[in-house]
């Protein structure tokens, strides 16, 4: 009886320690996960959404009853839209920034995900259902205002 209890305790200790023995995710698999999950287009869409919200906030901050004509208001809005558009294009086109952002994500993913978890994410998001979900998430984000 004592032997069975010791065996059970030892088995439980091994099971509890199993996550510590889990294989860390490889850089290559995390990069594949990022491709399958379309992280670059998600990054671009996020930047676009953020800048649209910022532009809208600036435009909406122009007092409605200020002593400016409709034409002047339209000109101010056009300047704001143009400035934010140029800033967004510069940011989105900054290769060094993109490299830094994705390298940081890769490091975090490797720190927190096991190889088994990354493989599972790749398996799911590389499937037709996973790709459909990614596509629908993108559409849903576009509809949120």
């Amino acid at each position: 009886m004592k032997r069975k209890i010791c065996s059970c305790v030892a088995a439980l200790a091994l099971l509890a320690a199993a996550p510590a023995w889990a294989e860390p995710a490889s850089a290559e698999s995390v990069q594949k996960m990022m491709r399958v999950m379309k992280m670059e287009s998600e990054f671009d869409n996020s930047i676009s959404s953020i800048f649209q919200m910022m532009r809208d906030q600036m435009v909406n901050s122009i007092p409605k009853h200020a002593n400016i004509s409709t034409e002047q208001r339209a000109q101010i809005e056009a300047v704001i839209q143009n400035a934010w558009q140029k800033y967004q294009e510069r940011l989105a086109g900054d290769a060094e920034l993109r490299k830094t952002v994705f390298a940081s994500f890769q490091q975090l993913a490797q720190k927190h995900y096991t190889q088994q978890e990354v493989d599972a994410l790749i398996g799911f998001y590389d499937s037709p259902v996973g790709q459909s979900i990614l596509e629908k998430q993108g559409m849903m984000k576009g509809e949120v205002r």
Side-chain angles (χ1 to χ4, degrees):
M1 181 71 166
K2 210 176 198 185
R3 190 173 184 178
K4 282 186 179 183
I5 292 173
C6 287
S7 294
C8 287
V9 169
L12 287 173
L14 285 172
L15 286 174
W21 293 339
E23 180 184 359
S26 71
E28 296 78 22
S29 65
V30 170
Q31 289 168 1
K32 181 176 182 179
M33 178 191 72
M34 291 168 62
R35 279 191 308 275
V36 167
M37 293 177 71
K38 302 177 181 179
M39 298 286 266
E40 285 207 43
S41 63
E42 271 300 308
F43 176 75
D44 292 336
N45 292 338
S46 294
I47 287 177
S48 181
S49 294
I50 290 167
F51 278 99
Q52 183 62 47
M53 285 189 309
M54 293 169 83
R55 285 191 301 260
D56 292 347
Q57 284 179 342
M58 285 189 77
V59 167
N60 292 332
S61 71
I62 302 168
K64 301 286 185 212
H65 19 294
N67 289 333
I68 56 174
S69 69
T70 305
E71 183 180 316
Q72 289 171 321
R73 183 178 184 80
Q75 288 173 344
I76 292 169
E77 289 179 16
V79 167
I80 291 170
Q81 294 284 3
N82 187 40
W84 279 110
Q85 184 66 35
K86 285 182 180 178
Y87 189 64
Q88 177 183 341
E89 288 168 3
R90 248 177 83 198
L91 184 62
D94 186 335
E96 199 58 38
L97 173 68
R98 293 177 81 80
K99 183 178 173 183
T100 301
V101 167
F102 293 115
S104 294
F105 180 83
Q106 180 180 330
Q107 287 175 346
L108 286 171
Q110 285 183 263
K111 177 181 175 183
H112 293 283
Y113 290 147
T114 65
Q115 186 62 51
Q116 183 181 12
E117 291 168 330
V118 170
D119 290 343
L121 286 167
I122 291 169
F124 175 72
Y125 285 110
D126 204 19
S127 73
V129 170
Q131 288 297 301
S132 176
I133 287 172
L134 286 173
E135 184 180 318
K136 289 174 184 172
Q137 284 176 338
M139 290 187 302
M140 289 167 41
K141 286 178 190 172
E143 292 179 21
V144 174
R145 289 283 169 162

